[in-house]
Amino acid sequence: MLRALRRRALAGLAPVYLVGGPLRDMLLGEPIKDLDFVVEGDAPALAQSVAQELRGETLTYPRFGTATVVLPDCRVDLVTARRETYPKPGALPEVMPGNILDDLARRDFAINALALPLAQRRPALLDPQEGMADLAQGIIRTLHPRSFTDDPTRILRALRYEQRLRFSLETETWSQMRAAIRDGCLDTVSGDRLRRELERILEERRPAQALGRAADLGVLAAIHPALKDGSALKKLASEGQVPVSGLTCLAALAYPLTPGQEAGVVRRLVMPGTWAKVVEDTVALKSLAGKLAEPGLTPSRVYRLLEGRAAEAVCAVSQLTSSPMAAQRLDDYLRRLPLATAALNGNALLALGVPAGPKVGELLLKLRDARLDGHANSAAAERDLVHRWLTSEGGLAQNG
Ligand code: ATP
């Protein structure tokens, strides 16, 4: 793909540039995830010609001047170089065709405003914002003072890069961010756009750290006032070595919510069903902690209390609850989850003489409880139990 674009660029057919993330990551010695290209001209047309040569497919979005070339082993985005202006803070920008410098000037941070011209035989990196110096110093810096007000989602992007690259926010950038948050810039951003950036954070290796920072800076409270308490996120982040999944972090975000607050947060971020379930289950499980700490609770009883709850919610509450007994039971539940199916199935029960009908389901549940409580740990032991139940329930014995 790169070679096909390079050939066209060298032949003077298309001024194409490799831009942004891949150059940043290459310079940092990090693995490159995707290649992004900018074309001074018609990106969809170029994408089509390359896809034809490589026998791939093209997805084109002529309205946005963008296209994706899909090959069996990769997807590559091509964008028409553009200039952007923001008519209103937080709104989507107005877009006009532009050149590569315009395109670099619309970017979020100097470390992403890099371009490599494929049309040059010995390409010299374009670095109009001095992003290379920032990469060397480990700094995240906006390109102009209104950057966060124009597009407040950049606040979440900055915190994501800060934690991923272990970089620092440049002093001015830090002040701009604080001012933008204080001035309520996040109020104007749609839930969809915020959620997409949060999603990107949850995909990172250290999501709790980035969200903990967002809580400290008041970003989460600005997104929804009920999210102002970041202590659960920070506790999760400080657990240190144990990697935490994205959805477990989402659960920690939801942990401080009181019943009734979660619906508002789910609505504000237009959360998909999986997220909403994690949030709701976390709040529900937090209020079950007292019950989960009661003495004498058997594993099967715990199972019934927790059955169907999102595993990430269980995992987060076990790490965050102040009750060691509840934490132990939640952990234990997660460990025993794979045991929660009996070795025997319905047909095996029929073969043992259980009459067809509701009794089968009832005994399968009893078998599951027995397994969870350690009273049966093999198919043979389960068969013995069924025989015992059948003989003790005289009415069924005739079938056994
Ligand atoms: P990643 O961030 O996961 O490493 P990436 O750097 O390629 O990937 P993307 O989110 O895929 O980042 O965006 C591609 C490029 O588009 C970025 O390098 C950045 O320059 C630019 N960009 C993305 N979102 C914004 C934004 N909100 N404002 C300005 N520029 C943006």
Side-chain angles (χ1 to χ4, degrees), residues 214-238:
D216 278 348
L217 289 167
V219 178
L220 298 182
I223 290 175
H224 192 287
L227 294 175
K228 69 173 184 301
D229 177 0
S231 54
L233 280 165
K234 292 224 290 268
K235 179 156 185 228
L236 212 62
S238 69

Side-chain angles (χ1 to χ4, degrees), residues 53-389:
E53 177 188 330
L54 302 176
R55 299 215 177 82
E57 298 199 0
T58 340
L59 306 168
T60 55
Y61 310 95
R63 237 187 85 212
F64 302 102
T66 63
T68 304
V69 179
V70 186
L71 300 178
D73 54 351
C74 74
R75 290 166 72 94
V76 168
D77 290 326
L78 288 159
V79 178
T80 301
R82 63 195 205 214
R83 198 146 47 91
E84 288 182 350
T85 51
Y86 286 82
K88 237 184 7 208
L92 290 175
E94 280 172 5
V95 176
M96 288 137 278
N99 61 26
I100 187 65
L101 291 180
D102 296 323
D103 201 277
L104 294 180
R106 74 177 171 89
R107 290 180 182 258
D108 45 5
F109 308 111
I111 55 168
N112 286 335
L114 303 167
L116 195 70
L118 300 193
Q120 292 176 5
R121 237 158 240 293
R122 293 172 62 82
L125 199 71
L126 281 177
D127 179 17
Q129 309 288 343
E130 299 181 15
M132 291 252 279
D134 288 2
L135 282 176
Q137 289 179 60
I139 282 177
I140 297 162
R141 179 170 51 90
T142 50
L143 307 191
H144 57 84
R146 292 179 327 280
S147 187
F148 291 125
T149 334
D150 280 349
D151 181 354
T153 65
R154 290 174 186 159
I155 295 173
L156 291 169
R157 294 180 64 82
L159 301 181
R160 178 160 65 86
Y161 289 126
E162 181 193 49
Q163 292 306 316
R164 184 205 295 175
L165 306 174
R166 315 259 179 147
F167 275 24
S168 316
L169 298 173
E170 175 261 348
T171 325
E172 280 297 305
T173 301
W174 165 255
S175 314
Q176 293 157 14
M177 183 186 280
R178 298 297 304 243
I181 298 166
R182 196 190 50 229
D183 296 345
C185 72
L186 284 149
D187 298 348
T188 57
V189 187
S190 75
D192 269 324
R193 293 184 63 211
L194 291 171
R195 192 200 57 252
R196 273 199 293 275
E197 285 304 334
L198 285 174
E199 237 159 40
R200 309 274 308 260
I201 290 182
L202 296 187
E203 286 162 8
E204 295 282 323
R205 265 206 309 267
R206 294 156 41 86
Q209 282 76 0
L211 289 179
R213 280 281 278 159
D216 278 348
L217 289 167
V219 178
L220 298 182
I223 290 175
H224 192 287
L227 294 175
K228 69 173 184 301
D229 177 0
S231 54
L233 280 165
K234 292 224 290 268
K235 179 156 185 228
L236 212 62
S238 69
E239 303 281 299
Q241 312 328 331
V242 196
V244 183
S245 81
L247 286 181
T248 305
C249 264
L250 180 68
L253 179 82
Y255 190 78
L257 302 179
T258 55
Q261 283 181 327
E262 72 270 34
V265 172
V266 166
R267 256 198 319 276
R268 169 67 177 114
L269 289 168
V270 205
M271 288 190 183
T274 39
W275 283 35
K277 179 158 174 53
V278 168
V279 168
E280 285 152 14
D281 285 356
T282 304
V283 177
L285 289 177
K286 190 176 68 169
S287 45
L288 266 185
K291 216 176 188 60
L292 284 167
E294 280 173 11
L297 213 55
T298 57
S300 62
R301 182 86 188 93
V302 172
Y303 185 89
R304 281 169 197 242
L305 283 172
L306 302 180
E307 191 175 4
R309 297 295 184 188
E312 294 85 357
V314 177
C315 178
V317 176
S318 91
Q319 294 186 57
L320 296 168
T321 179
S322 54
S323 154
M325 180 53 93
Q328 195 189 324
R329 294 218 164 106
L330 288 160
D331 279 346
D332 203 43
Y333 166 80
L334 287 176
R335 253 199 317 276
R336 283 175 200 251
L337 211 50
L339 295 178
T341 358
L344 301 184
N345 59 18
N347 283 336
L349 292 194
L350 292 174
L352 287 172
V354 178
K359 199 75 199 165
V360 175
E362 197 183 298
L363 290 193
L364 281 174
L365 283 182
K366 278 181 79 172
L367 280 180
R368 185 197 67 193
D369 287 354
R371 242 183 131 78
L372 286 166
D373 294 339
H375 302 318
N377 48 20
S378 67
E382 288 185 12
R383 255 183 245 112
D384 279 353
L385 270 181
V386 174
H387 276 305
R388 250 189 287 152
W389 290 334

